[in-house]
Amino acid sequence: MSRLLEVKNLTTNFHIGVGCVQAVRNVSFHLDAGESLGIVGESGSGKSVTMMSIMGLLPDYADVTADSIRFNDREMTKMSVGEFRKVRGNEIGMIFQDPMTSLNPLYTVENQIAEPLRIHRGMNKAEARKAALELLKRVEIPNPEARLKQYPHELSGGMRQRVMIAAAIACQPKLVIADEPTTALDVTIQAQVLDLLNHLKESSNASIIMITHDLGVIASMCSRILVMYGGIICEQGTVREIFYEPRHPYTWGLLRSIPKMTERKDEKLIPINGTPPDMLCPPKGCPFAPRCPYAMPVCRKYLAPNTVLGETHSCACHLLHPNAPKVERGL
């Protein structure tokens, strides 16, 4: 597979009144053409900020640096503002977490889907309207002609999310980033939206990055997973490696908290005790050390190096050091 996106040492800091929030720290990963990549972790882990940094959608008080952000054989860190805008919305589409705040309440559905078509594809009003109608049909919105004239507040949550998907894929992007696309939806609508995204991926061969805290969603959508915590990637691998051969205690904790069909009725889920770190003053060592039952003194002093476990599997944990005490896998 050809490489579509490669990120090297991405760091994002927010300079606010009380100090500097170190939201993302030296994150590196890649995405192949046609691949589905999942990014999981608790709220505040840096998942969304990583993608917003790549998209250039952060406010002025954000400081984004990277050795390289290479997309489709072009270096994005060296692009002009105009060149960046041509990529964003045209070659990279984004589905945001809350469509009610992402869609403009003052514009109709037609205007919001047609805008990228007019800007990036040079369509006139009639051509853009026809294309918008076809997109609503493609995302399986009933009575699409009537929906074009409606405003976001007139639609249900599931309908609004489908409109967001239609707008994101309007220009047939090579990459679609979905940031918690099912969070505000009920279970039935969640399943429909995920089926829709899977179908769109298969029909267009677009790559997808799925950001979520739900490992169940990742299992049904993605081939590879990044596990983020405290602004760093603590483990990455294929779905099989993360679910059946996890090596980081944080990954163990995430997997223990998933309800299983085989569990007895009286069997309780095991939560991860404690709270995520304050990124205004992140821990000196491993960000998970204060919550980790296997933490050693070295974990509190130094970040663990990234240990390569296989062609697709790596993990940043001091327990992988040859001299570290052996522990049973925490599942």
Side-chain angles (χ1 to χ4, degrees):
M1 284 188 179
S2 61
R3 191 144 292 180
L4 180 66
L5 175 68
E6 186 165 19
V7 178
K8 294 181 180 179
N9 294 324
L10 173 68
T11 295
T12 302
N13 296 321
F14 292 98
H15 299 283
I16 58 176
V18 292
C20 177
V21 178
Q22 302 173 49
V24 175
R25 299 182 286 167
N26 295 316
V27 163
S28 300
F29 67 94
H30 71 271
L31 176 73
D32 291 330
E35 184 183 22
S36 293
L37 176 68
I39 305 181
V40 297
E42 293 170 275
S43 296
S45 297
K47 311 182 299 296
S48 297
V49 173
T50 297
M51 292 301 108
M52 299 287 268
S53 301
I54 293 169
M55 292 283 284
L57 294 174
L58 293 175
D60 293 339
Y61 56 85
D63 179 23
V64 180
T65 61
D67 290 346
S68 175
I69 301 175
R70 195 162 186 83
F71 174 74
N72 199 25
D73 291 329
R74 286 169 292 170
E75 183 56 52
M76 296 181 73
T77 59
K78 297 180 180 178
M79 285 184 180
S80 66
V81 174
E83 290 174 324
F84 207 101
R85 284 175 179 167
K86 288 180 181 178
V87 172
R88 188 173 56 215
N90 185 28
E91 297 182 59
I92 303 177
M94 190 155 184
I95 303 166
F96 294 95
Q97 181 173 351
D98 184 1
M100 196 59 197
T101 56
S102 302
L103 295 171
N104 193 320
L106 302 179
Y107 290 94
T108 64
V109 167
E110 178 184 344
N111 286 334
Q112 303 195 57
I113 298 177
E115 182 180 24
L117 294 168
R118 293 196 297 266
I119 293 173
H120 297 295
R121 296 301 170 95
M123 293 185 181
N124 59 37
K125 188 174 181 179
E127 291 170 335
R129 186 184 191 283
K130 182 179 178 181
L133 181 62
E134 290 302 315
L135 283 162
L136 289 188
K137 292 178 181 177
R138 191 177 175 190
V139 297
E140 301 173 3
I141 287 184
N143 195 9
E145 293 86 354
R147 304 300 180 194
L148 282 176
K149 301 174 184 177
Q150 291 185 310
Y151 292 85
H153 72 272
E154 299 179 280
L155 305 176
S156 67
M159 290 277 194
R160 287 193 292 267
Q161 194 59 280
R162 289 171 188 266
V163 170
M164 280 291 302
I165 294 172
I169 66 171
C171 296
Q172 300 177 343
K174 293 179 173 64
L175 169 62
V176 175
I177 300 172
D179 186 0
E180 303 272 10
T182 61
T183 296
L185 307 177
D186 64 54
V187 176
T188 303
I189 304 300
Q190 281 185 23
Q192 293 174 2
V193 169
L194 292 176
D195 285 344
L196 174 60
L197 287 172
N198 267 324
H199 175 70
L200 292 172
K201 178 188 178 297
E202 292 169 2
S203 62
S204 63
N205 199 36
S207 299
I208 291 181
I209 295 178
M210 175 72 73
I211 302 168
T212 183
H213 60 272
D214 189 336
L215 279 166
V217 169
I218 292 293
S220 65
M221 282 288 299
C222 301
S223 56
R224 202 158 50 86
I225 301 173
L226 306 182
V227 181
M228 288 193 71
Y229 184 81
I232 67 170
I233 295 174
C234 47
E235 186 167 6
Q236 59 181 302
T238 63
V239 167
R240 176 171 181 78
E241 287 165 343
I242 296 299
F243 275 84
Y244 295 101
E245 303 169 22
R247 301 297 296 275
H248 199 285
Y250 180 61
T251 310
W252 299 344
L254 291 177
L255 292 170
R256 280 199 305 262
S257 64
I258 302 174
K260 298 177 179 64
M261 296 295 290
T262 55
E263 288 179 348
R264 302 189 308 271
K265 290 182 179 180
D266 60 342
E267 193 167 351
K268 295 181 179 180
L269 297 177
I270 304 173
I272 302 175
N273 293 324
T275 58
D278 180 1
M279 300 312 290
L280 270 169
C281 187
K284 187 176 180 180
C286 174
F288 189 59
R291 306 172 71 185
C292 180
Y294 313 103
M296 303 173 288
V298 67
C299 301
R300 303 181 189 278
K301 293 181 179 179
Y302 305 102
L303 274 172
N306 193 48
T307 302
V308 177
L309 303 169
E311 187 177 344
T312 56
H313 195 188
S314 64
C315 177
C317 182
H318 287 293
L319 289 174
L320 298 175
H321 191 278
N323 296 329
K326 304 300 179 185
V327 300
E328 292 293 325
R329 194 175 87 176
L331 292 176

